[in-house]
Amino acid sequence: MKVTVIIENVGGVFFVNHKRLGHDKLSDMEKVALNEFIKEYKQSNQEAC
């Protein structure tokens, strides 16, 4: 099964598959993808420092 999740930052507001983060309900797959993105983002920032 292949799932595409788009995470965008538009003017400081994050969207996941065109759903505004914190305002619209995310599906379970979108939540999993967002959590993985956050983990990778934190890890890449720690390595850069």
Side-chain angles (χ1 to χ4, degrees), residues 15-32:
F15 291 87
V16 178
N17 286 349
H18 308 291
K19 297 177 186 174
R20 187 172 176 173
L21 196 58
H23 290 272
D24 300 319
K25 187 171 180 157
L26 300 178
S27 70
D28 290 336
M29 289 300 287
E30 290 168 334
K31 290 178 190 175
V32 169

Side-chain angles (χ1 to χ4, degrees), residues 3 7 12-14 16 18-22 24 27-29 31 33-41 45-47 49:
V3 178
I7 300 172
V13 177
F14 280 92
V16 178
H18 308 291
K19 297 177 186 174
R20 187 172 176 173
L21 196 58
D24 300 319
S27 70
D28 290 336
M29 289 300 287
K31 290 178 190 175
L34 183 60
N35 285 333
E36 289 298 317
F37 171 77
I38 291 169
K39 286 179 192 176
E40 290 178 19
Y41 183 80
N45 280 342
Q46 287 177 351
E47 292 172 356
C49 293

